Amino acid sequence: SDVYKRQAESDAKLKKGGDDKEDESEDDSGSSHSKKLTTETYPKFWEEYGKNIRLGIIEDGNNRARLTKLLRYKSTHSEDEYISLQDYIDNIAEGNKKQKNIYYLSGDTIEKIKQSPVLEDATRRNIEVIYMTDAIDEYVVGHITDFSGKKLVNLAKEGAASSFEEDDDEADDSDDKKANKRQRKAIANKRKEKYEPLFKFFRTLLGEKVTKVVITKRKTSEPMILSSRQHDMTARMASIMKGQALGAGGGQASHERTDSNIPTTKRVMELNHLHPLIDEIFRRVQVEENDSVAEDLGLALFDTANIQNGFEIEDSLAFSRRVNRLLRSSVDIAPDAPLIEEDLSQYEVDEDAEAEADVDAEAANDEM
């Protein structure tokens, strides 16, 4: 098609370097036309034809490798300019990192992606993360699981932090590092044994709402993170599918039908055992498995994590009432404290003021 032809021609021009004098002829500022194509023309081309290119990746297996080279995204290290996947790999090389993966995160907008708790770990480690803001990107990454020997890793999936640790281990294969790795594994096993009562508490409390409860390996300040298993649907994909289904249907009956057709998103609960709220729950369940405060805290944290990580809250009314109870207890108000009775005598109103208020009210009604 004409689009594919233009894509191929553009890709060729971007790679030609200084071979073609006509394309590489310099202007008065000393910059070449090829460079100008890269920095100015291509972003406009991408914004106009980017969706077509991604559709081509999904539908055209024969040209998938060529089209993948044309992908452009913004990232945590390049928020103002688009970069290619090859640029991402080049950035790794420039930083002298032995990074085995390309990390990305999907969301409605860059600003919303920045609010995701799963981004914090990569930011702390100074790892570049690609922002994917088009709904079609979730489908695209299903067809290009790796690029130039590096796997594409979604930070919204469990195991992302393990990938970070693998990168660290790859960068240092000394005997000391190997010994530290063995020690780290031994400590993790002991930690798992220690916090088994906490895992059991959340599994009992939440039932089928979570598929797994683990101690997170992510460097995070949040009490918990909800992620998806490697081969399960992410919260972002579920939201996209629901929007598409509702758009294709319409009406309440269609809403109910499409909801039932969308696969249920399965959550992995990653607990931050160093967070004071998680530690408080752990202390309480060690004393009493059915501690009511621990249950309220656990459910409130779970629903909050659902909101933060893009999952839906099944019962928003129960969530609001639970938060209300927690707020009452934080200021020493009894959970069943009734509404206060207002003493109207505190409002001193003379008869003239009252009559004037009645007149104003009648005038307002007449104007309406």
Side-chain angles (χ1 to χ4, degrees), residues 104-119:
Y104 71 91
L105 191 57
S106 176
D108 293 334
T109 64
I110 289 178
E111 289 305 315
K112 284 191 175 182
I113 294 175
K114 286 181 178 180
Q115 297 170 15
S116 174
V118 300
L119 190 63

Side-chain angles (χ1 to χ4, degrees), residues 141-187:
V141 292
H143 292 80
I144 49 168
T145 54
D146 64 88
F147 179 81
S148 192
K150 294 190 181 294
K151 183 181 177 182
L152 270 71
V153 174
N154 188 345
L155 294 186
K157 296 287 186 79
E158 70 164 325
S162 296
S163 297
F164 295 155
E165 289 183 354
E166 289 174 6
D167 290 339
D168 291 340
D169 293 337
E170 185 77 12
D172 184 358
D173 60 353
S174 64
D175 290 339
D176 287 344
K177 188 69 176 182
K178 291 177 181 178
N180 289 338
K181 184 179 179 181
R182 288 193 296 269
Q183 184 183 34
R184 205 167 60 228
K185 186 175 181 180
I187 290 174

Side-chain angles (χ1 to χ4, degrees), residues 264-305:
T264 304
T265 49
K266 300 177 181 179
R267 302 158 176 82
V268 174
M269 175 179 279
E270 301 182 28
L271 298 175
N272 181 0
H273 66 293
L274 301 178
H275 195 282
L277 287 175
I278 297 298
D279 184 61
E280 178 65 21
I281 293 174
F282 180 54
R283 291 174 183 273
R284 286 177 173 273
V285 299
Q286 284 181 299
V287 177
E288 173 56 56
E289 290 184 4
N290 300 318
D291 185 276
S292 60
V293 175
E295 289 179 351
D296 261 358
L297 277 173
L299 290 170
L301 289 175
F302 175 69
D303 283 337
T304 301

Side-chain angles (χ1 to χ4, degrees), residues 181-247:
K181 184 179 179 181
R182 288 193 296 269
Q183 184 183 34
R184 205 167 60 228
K185 186 175 181 180
I187 290 174
N189 290 333
K190 291 292 185 180
R191 185 183 293 127
K192 183 178 179 181
E193 291 178 14
K194 174 184 176 180
Y195 287 97
E196 179 55 36
L198 183 65
F199 302 155
K200 181 182 178 182
F201 166 77
F202 275 109
R203 287 196 299 264
T204 303
L205 183 67
L206 299 171
E208 295 182 356
K209 293 179 181 179
V210 294
T211 58
K212 189 191 302 185
V213 182
V214 297
I215 294 294
T216 188
K217 292 183 178 181
R218 304 179 196 254
K219 295 179 180 179
T220 177
S221 58
E222 299 296 333
M224 70 173 64
I225 285 177
L226 297 179
S227 57
S228 303
R229 292 186 301 185
Q230 283 301 322
H231 301 293
D232 284 344
M233 181 186 304
T234 62
R236 166 73 168 157
M237 176 60 90
S239 176
I240 291 169
M241 290 183 66
K242 184 174 182 179
Q244 291 173 339
L246 291 174

